[in-house]
PDB file of all heavy atoms in Angstrom:
ATOM      1  N   SER A 168      -8.292  10.686   8.632  1.00 36.00           N
ATOM      2  CA  SER A 168      -7.920  11.235  10.078  1.00 36.00           C
ATOM      3  C   SER A 168      -6.656  10.688  10.533  1.00 36.00           C
ATOM      4  O   SER A 168      -6.185   9.680  10.034  1.00 36.00           O
ATOM      5  CB  SER A 168      -9.102  10.933  10.978  1.00 36.00           C
ATOM      6  OG  SER A 168      -9.186   9.564  11.027  1.00 36.00           O
ATOM      7  N   SER A 169      -6.087  11.387  11.528  1.00 38.00           N
ATOM      8  CA  SER A 169      -4.898  10.812  12.027  1.00 38.00           C
ATOM      9  C   SER A 169      -4.779  10.958  13.492  1.00 38.00           C
ATOM     10  O   SER A 169      -5.604  11.619  14.084  1.00 38.00           O
ATOM     11  CB  SER A 169      -3.630  11.820  11.577  1.00 38.00           C
ATOM     12  OG  SER A 169      -3.763  13.064  11.968  1.00 38.00           O
ATOM     13  N   ALA A 170      -4.022  10.158  14.116  1.00 43.00           N
ATOM     14  CA  ALA A 170      -4.059  10.055  15.534  1.00 43.00           C
ATOM     15  C   ALA A 170      -3.480  11.423  16.191  1.00 43.00           C
ATOM     16  O   ALA A 170      -2.579  11.998  15.551  1.00 43.00           O
ATOM     17  CB  ALA A 170      -3.107   8.907  16.039  1.00 43.00           C
ATOM     18  N   ALA A 171      -3.895  11.811  17.344  1.00 55.00           N
ATOM     19  CA  ALA A 171      -3.544  13.126  17.772  1.00 55.00           C
ATOM     20  C   ALA A 171      -2.238  12.989  18.621  1.00 55.00           C
ATOM     21  O   ALA A 171      -1.714  13.953  19.052  1.00 55.00           O
ATOM     22  CB  ALA A 171      -4.711  13.641  18.713  1.00 55.00           C
ATOM     23  N   GLY A 172      -1.786  11.806  19.010  1.00 76.00           N
ATOM     24  CA  GLY A 172      -0.559  11.741  19.621  1.00 76.00           C
ATOM     25  C   GLY A 172      -0.486  10.774  20.924  1.00 76.00           C
ATOM     26  O   GLY A 172       0.527  10.115  21.151  1.00 76.00           O
ATOM     27  N   THR A 173      -1.695  10.620  21.495  1.00 79.00           N
ATOM     28  CA  THR A 173      -1.777   9.542  22.600  1.00 79.00           C
ATOM     29  C   THR A 173      -3.020   8.784  22.589  1.00 79.00           C
ATOM     30  O   THR A 173      -3.873   9.065  21.716  1.00 79.00           O
ATOM     31  CB  THR A 173      -1.690  10.276  23.975  1.00 79.00           C
ATOM     32  OG1 THR A 173      -2.986  10.974  24.133  1.00 79.00           O
ATOM     33  CG2 THR A 173      -0.633  11.379  24.076  1.00 79.00           C
ATOM     34  N   GLY A 174      -3.043   7.766  23.349  1.00 79.00           N
ATOM     35  CA  GLY A 174      -4.204   6.890  23.241  1.00 79.00           C
ATOM     36  C   GLY A 174      -5.568   7.593  23.675  1.00 79.00           C
ATOM     37  O   GLY A 174      -6.518   7.022  23.498  1.00 79.00           O
ATOM     38  N   TYR A 175      -5.466   8.644  24.345  1.00 77.00           N
ATOM     39  CA  TYR A 175      -6.647   9.346  24.729  1.00 77.00           C
ATOM     40  C   TYR A 175      -7.621   9.749  23.620  1.00 77.00           C
ATOM     41  O   TYR A 175      -8.755   9.611  23.688  1.00 77.00           O
ATOM     42  CB  TYR A 175      -6.279  10.724  25.468  1.00 77.00           C
ATOM     43  CG  TYR A 175      -5.691  10.491  27.022  1.00 77.00           C
ATOM     44  CD1 TYR A 175      -4.421  10.816  27.202  1.00 77.00           C
ATOM     45  CD2 TYR A 175      -6.594   9.916  27.903  1.00 77.00           C
ATOM     46  CE1 TYR A 175      -3.898  10.649  28.532  1.00 77.00           C
ATOM     47  CE2 TYR A 175      -5.971   9.804  29.296  1.00 77.00           C
ATOM     48  CZ  TYR A 175      -4.697  10.100  29.478  1.00 77.00           C
ATOM     49  OH  TYR A 175      -4.123   9.931  30.820  1.00 77.00           O
ATOM     50  N   GLU A 176      -7.001   9.989  22.430  1.00 73.00           N
ATOM     51  CA  GLU A 176      -7.683  10.535  21.299  1.00 73.00           C
ATOM     52  C   GLU A 176      -7.950   9.303  20.399  1.00 73.00           C
ATOM     53  O   GLU A 176      -8.707   9.421  19.460  1.00 73.00           O
ATOM     54  CB  GLU A 176      -7.114  11.519  20.589  1.00 73.00           C
ATOM     55  CG  GLU A 176      -6.673  12.789  21.125  1.00 73.00           C
ATOM     56  CD  GLU A 176      -5.490  12.898  22.113  1.00 73.00           C
ATOM     57  OE1 GLU A 176      -4.855  11.818  22.101  1.00 73.00           O
ATOM     58  OE2 GLU A 176      -5.306  13.830  22.787  1.00 73.00           O
ATOM     59  N   THR A 177      -7.446   8.142  20.725  1.00 73.00           N
ATOM     60  CA  THR A 177      -7.609   6.969  19.755  1.00 73.00           C
ATOM     61  C   THR A 177      -8.160   5.686  20.475  1.00 73.00           C
ATOM     62  O   THR A 177      -8.186   4.683  20.021  1.00 73.00           O
ATOM     63  CB  THR A 177      -6.251   6.624  19.155  1.00 73.00           C
ATOM     64  OG1 THR A 177      -5.315   6.195  20.109  1.00 73.00           O
ATOM     65  CG2 THR A 177      -5.788   7.714  18.406  1.00 73.00           C
ATOM     66  N   SER A 178      -8.737   5.990  21.777  1.00 78.00           N
ATOM     67  CA  SER A 178      -9.178   4.855  22.569  1.00 78.00           C
ATOM     68  C   SER A 178      -8.110   3.746  22.723  1.00 78.00           C
ATOM     69  O   SER A 178      -8.392   2.649  23.005  1.00 78.00           O
ATOM     70  CB  SER A 178     -10.403   4.170  21.988  1.00 78.00           C
ATOM     71  OG  SER A 178     -11.406   5.172  21.745  1.00 78.00           O
ATOM     72  N   GLY A 179      -6.911   4.285  22.692  1.00 84.00           N
ATOM     73  CA  GLY A 179      -5.663   3.324  22.942  1.00 84.00           C
ATOM     74  C   GLY A 179      -5.322   2.534  21.765  1.00 84.00           C
ATOM     75  O   GLY A 179      -4.489   1.724  21.876  1.00 84.00           O
ATOM     76  N   GLU A 180      -6.048   2.516  20.556  1.00 84.00           N
ATOM     77  CA  GLU A 180      -5.732   1.759  19.593  1.00 84.00           C
ATOM     78  C   GLU A 180      -4.580   2.287  18.750  1.00 84.00           C
ATOM     79  O   GLU A 180      -4.459   3.397  18.530  1.00 84.00           O
ATOM     80  CB  GLU A 180      -7.092   1.603  18.749  1.00 84.00           C
ATOM     81  CG  GLU A 180      -8.307   1.005  19.253  1.00 84.00           C
ATOM     82  CD  GLU A 180      -9.466   0.896  18.371  1.00 84.00           C
ATOM     83  OE1 GLU A 180      -9.348   1.448  17.176  1.00 84.00           O
ATOM     84  OE2 GLU A 180     -10.482   0.378  18.918  1.00 84.00           O
ATOM     85  N   TYR A 181      -3.737   1.350  18.345  1.00 86.00           N
ATOM     86  CA  TYR A 181      -2.601   1.700  17.370  1.00 86.00           C
ATOM     87  C   TYR A 181      -2.485   0.752  16.301  1.00 86.00           C
ATOM     88  O   TYR A 181      -3.033  -0.284  16.299  1.00 86.00           O
ATOM     89  CB  TYR A 181      -1.282   1.808  18.245  1.00 86.00           C
ATOM     90  CG  TYR A 181      -0.952   0.351  18.816  1.00 86.00           C
ATOM     91  CD1 TYR A 181      -0.321  -0.727  18.120  1.00 86.00           C
ATOM     92  CD2 TYR A 181      -1.304  -0.015  20.142  1.00 86.00           C
ATOM     93  CE1 TYR A 181       0.081  -1.899  18.638  1.00 86.00           C
ATOM     94  CE2 TYR A 181      -0.956  -1.145  20.730  1.00 86.00           C
ATOM     95  CZ  TYR A 181      -0.400  -2.140  19.987  1.00 86.00           C
ATOM     96  OH  TYR A 181      -0.103  -3.393  20.404  1.00 86.00           O
TER      97      TYR A 181
END
Side-chain angles (χ1 to χ4, degrees):
S168 59
S169 60
T173 71
Y175 286 114
E176 296 85 2
T177 61
S178 299
E180 298 177 358
Y181 61 83

